[in-house]
Amino acid sequence: MFRVHQAHAAVVVLSTANPLRRLVTLRRVEVLTQVVVLVLALVWLKIPLDGVPMIAAIAVLAAVNLVTQWWIDKGGPPTANEVFAQMAIDVAILAVLLYFAGGPANPFVSLFLLPPTLAAAMLPARHAWAMAGLTLFAYTFLMFWNLPLPPPQGDLAQFDALLARATGGTEHAAHGSGFALHVLGMWLNFVISLGVVAFFLTRMAATLKNRERELAATREAALRNEQILSLGTLAAGAAHQLGTPLATMAVVIRELELQHGDDAELREDLLLLREQVDRCKQTISQILASTGQGRDESLCSLALDAYLQRLLDDWQVIRPHARISVTLQGEQPAPLVTAERTLEQALLNLLDNAADAHAANPEALRFAATWDSDTCRIEIFDRGPGIGREAALRLGQAFFSSKRAAHDQAGGIGIGLFLSNATIERCGGKVELFNRSDPQGGACTRVTLPLNRLKA
């Protein structure tokens, strides 16, 4: 944007942000929580659980998480089947833990809802339904096969008393400390589920927003590329048609030079005309040649300062009466660059725009370029009327000319800035236009280019 100050689900690689990273993060919380709950049950509540297989199950889950993290760091993109398999491991470990801790009587059994929720958000529909079926099977299995949850042997007197007051003593008296344990487990389960759901949904919302921004930028780029293609087609046709009249003009100028060779003033004007015609013919030849040549054929390696100086020399041939002061500063020796002709034309367009705005001012334009090993920044300062409100809103749009906005006349056809901005963005750079803070007025055109895209 112009600046003013996805086949079959089993084999398709998931296109959103890597879902395994979210699973790894959630699983770390899961492992930590399981360890804390098991320690509290065995040490504080003194529930006589069979701790060895439960500890082994948690250790297996932690090891799977480490292997998954290593695989992610290795760079392997996950498929839907692989993410489903990872979630299935979580369901299996949870089923093992609940088997040794009361099965469906355990308040943590509702954690079986999390895997289908995550699968519905991250995986295709058939995987989500498969995960729902898997968790339903695990829950149903635990209803018939499980080890009963033993009553706690620890001291829950204070928590029992609190519940007795809250329930009027009736329900608490009927269930004793087992009811207290169940209520405590439900509360802890709610805290865990709340944290996991909030974490996951906020991340999903952020991912969706980023995706929407990317899609909007892609649509804008596609529209811009369509406009550029249309302009390129028209330019190639115009270049082909202009060859004959330019050749005729060159012949006529040559005859005039021969007929009026004694008139020094006229000879100087004819020389200027011939130079301009030759420049037009050269530009047309480059346009026609570039349509059938590879990128490398249009490039040549030059030091950055020499490239910019050649650019300015070429521009002075086009605008012989324009005055410009030049400052080139940066690391020496300057890095070698291989810039396409399209970038050169983009910078020439920006110089032309500044010169047109500056035409009524006798002061020289200022061209300042600074660079380091990574970036080159070019600034073009003029003393024109500056950028008005309408121009600030529409600069960079195709067929909008700041010259018409400023002078209310057909001073330009409105593609110079559009093509310049598109070319510079394609090179990884950006264009910024803003009014100068100097009391004398004027505008500044700033171009920032990453040299890694231009270096030889």
Side-chain angles (χ1 to χ4, degrees):
M1 182 181 295
F2 197 86
R3 299 175 183 237
V4 181
H5 231 37
Q6 182 194 221
H8 197 276
V11 298
V12 173
V13 175
L14 299 180
S15 61
T16 55
N18 193 332
L20 285 185
R21 293 190 183 276
R22 295 194 184 98
L23 287 182
V24 167
T25 302
L26 292 174
R27 197 178 282 158
R28 289 171 185 163
V29 177
E30 181 183 352
V31 170
L32 179 61
T33 303
Q34 289 170 353
V35 170
V36 171
V37 171
L38 186 57
V39 170
L40 289 175
L42 295 175
V43 177
W44 180 54
L45 300 177
K46 297 181 181 179
I47 302 176
L49 296 171
D50 191 355
V52 175
M54 299 178 74
I55 293 173
I58 297 174
V60 169
L61 185 60
V64 169
N65 207 40
L66 290 175
V67 172
T68 304
Q69 182 65 64
W70 169 82
W71 189 78
I72 292 174
D73 294 338
K74 192 178 178 181
T79 64
N81 283 344
E82 290 166 345
V83 177
F84 178 86
Q86 291 283 336
M87 292 183 177
I89 294 174
D90 292 330
V91 173
I93 297 298
L94 180 59
V96 170
L97 294 174
L98 291 175
Y99 172 82
F100 290 98
N106 192 304
F108 289 101
V109 72
S110 61
L111 289 175
F112 274 130
L113 290 173
L114 288 178
T117 302
L118 299 180
M122 295 190 297
L123 299 178
R126 70 186 191 92
H127 289 80
W129 283 108
M131 182 56 62
L134 180 61
T135 53
L136 179 59
F137 171 80
Y139 197 120
T140 305
F141 175 87
L142 291 171
M143 289 181 66
F144 298 98
W145 293 277
N146 64 81
L147 297 181
L149 183 64
Q153 306 299 319
D155 185 11
L156 289 177
Q158 294 181 354
F159 192 64
D160 287 344
L162 179 62
L163 285 178
R165 290 196 298 269
T167 62
T170 305
E171 195 170 349
H172 176 259
H175 298 281
S177 61
F179 178 68
L181 177 63
H182 188 79
V183 172
L184 181 63
M186 290 176 63
W187 176 84
L188 186 57
N189 179 43
F190 176 77
V191 171
I192 295 171
S193 301
L194 185 64
V196 169
V197 170
F199 169 82
F200 180 77
L201 291 182
T202 53
R203 288 296 184 92
M204 284 296 294
T207 300
L208 288 174
K209 289 180 181 178
N210 290 335
R211 189 70 174 169
E212 288 176 359
R213 284 194 290 266
E214 291 173 359
L215 288 173
T218 300
R219 286 194 296 267
E220 183 179 346
L223 290 173
R224 185 187 64 190
N225 290 338
E226 288 179 6
Q227 291 177 311
I228 292 173
L229 179 61
S230 299
L231 290 171
T233 303
L234 292 173
H240 179 74
Q241 295 175 5
L242 288 173
T244 300
L246 284 174
T248 302
M249 292 172 63
V251 171
V252 172
I253 291 173
R254 180 59 180 166
E255 292 178 352
L256 289 173
E257 286 178 333
L258 293 174
Q259 295 175 5
H260 303 280
D262 298 334
D263 191 332
E265 184 177 353
L266 181 58
R267 186 170 65 249
E268 183 179 350
D269 292 339
L270 291 173
L271 177 60
L272 176 60
L273 285 175
R274 181 153 56 85
E275 290 176 350
Q276 297 301 312
V277 169
D278 290 342
R279 178 69 183 183
C280 291
K281 293 170 66 177
Q282 180 185 2
T283 301
I284 290 175
S285 298
Q286 292 173 356
I287 292 174
L288 294 176
S290 64
T291 60
Q293 290 184 353
R295 178 179 182 272
D296 294 338
E297 298 179 30
S298 63
L299 303 178
C300 59
S301 298
L302 283 174
L304 180 57
D305 51 357
Y307 170 78
L308 294 174
Q309 188 60 60
R310 188 192 71 174
L311 174 76
L312 292 168
D313 292 341
D314 290 345
W315 183 73
Q316 287 277 221
V317 172
I318 303 172
R319 309 289 291 253
H321 301 297
R323 299 175 61 238
I324 186 170
S325 64
V326 180
T327 304
L328 304 178
Q329 294 180 336
E331 296 180 355
Q332 293 295 335
L336 291 177
V337 296
T338 54
E340 297 180 359
R341 295 188 186 275
T342 54
L343 178 60
E344 179 179 342
Q345 188 60 50
L347 296 175
L348 290 174
N349 285 340
L350 296 178
L351 280 166
D352 282 338
N353 287 339
D356 291 339
H358 191 88
N361 197 312
E363 182 183 343
L365 284 172
R366 283 180 52 205
F367 180 96
T370 58
W371 64 86
D372 54 28
S373 59
D374 300 319
T375 306
C376 174
R377 189 171 79 170
I378 299 171
E379 293 181 323
I380 306 170
F381 300 94
D382 64 63
R383 290 294 186 190
I387 303 170
R389 183 183 299 272
E390 180 188 2
L393 294 174
R394 299 185 58 190
L395 277 175
Q397 297 180 8
F399 307 110
F400 172 78
S401 173
S402 59
K403 303 168 191 175
R404 278 182 286 189
H407 307 295
D408 195 28
Q409 59 184 8
I413 63 175
I415 63 172
L417 281 175
F418 172 74
L419 293 177
S420 296
N421 179 63
T423 300
I424 290 169
E425 282 192 349
R426 186 164 55 85
C427 294
K430 62 180 180 180
V431 183
E432 299 171 279
L433 268 74
F434 51 90
N435 290 320
R436 299 173 64 178
S437 58
D438 195 305
Q440 298 183 37
C444 173
T445 303
R446 178 181 295 161
V447 178
T448 306
L449 290 167
L451 292 182
N452 62 319
R453 299 280 291 271
L454 303 178
K455 286 182 178 179

